[in-house]
Amino acid sequence: MDLTRSPTIALAERRIAWLEERQRVLAQNIANADTPGYQPRDLGDFSKNLAGAFSLTRTSGSHLAGSGGSARARPDRAAVDRTPNGNAVSLDREAMKVADTETAHALATGLYRRWIGLFRTALGRSQ
């Protein structure tokens, strides 16, 4: 049995991957801050993405099909201010999102390391 494949480790890995993708999307937004007509993008909420990971079985044709969450970037609906050239990127808002994402990433990687450390301690191995 592979103890590192626990649900806790899988959740931490999934969260880290989502945060890395969000950081990439936010970096694109910042890079396009001067692009005329650019609409900033962001990922959907992680909890909604996580909920889409569990598939439900349709037992009847009359049941509604689930939407299924995805980590695809979507237009950021919070971006309401536009410059005269149509660009809606707010560097202040994007910088706040980057900082929040960085903090969440540090937390997730810290938890991941500590969980692995618990396994090492239980096995009698030093860190």
Side-chain angles (χ1 to χ4, degrees), residues 21-80:
E21 178 65 16
R22 185 172 194 226
Q23 199 76 313
R24 187 189 65 74
V25 169
L26 296 175
Q28 276 184 326
N29 290 346
I30 292 169
N32 286 293
D34 291 329
T35 304
Y38 185 79
Q39 175 71 27
R41 302 174 66 76
D42 201 354
L43 298 183
D45 188 28
F46 177 71
S47 61
K48 290 179 184 173
N49 177 269
L50 187 62
F54 305 104
S55 61
L56 300 175
T57 304
R58 257 177 101 177
T59 57
S60 169
S62 62
H63 293 165
L64 296 175
S67 61
S70 69
R72 284 188 255 152
R74 298 181 178 108
D76 186 2
R77 298 192 190 278
V80 292

Side-chain angles (χ1 to χ4, degrees), residues 12-26 43 46 97 100-109:
E13 288 175 348
R14 191 157 185 180
R15 175 74 170 166
I16 291 168
W18 183 87
L19 289 165
E20 288 171 351
E21 178 65 16
R22 185 172 194 226
Q23 199 76 313
R24 187 189 65 74
V25 169
L26 296 175
L43 298 183
F46 177 71
K97 288 180 185 179
D100 290 343
T101 303
E102 183 179 347
T103 302
H105 190 273
L107 175 65
T109 54

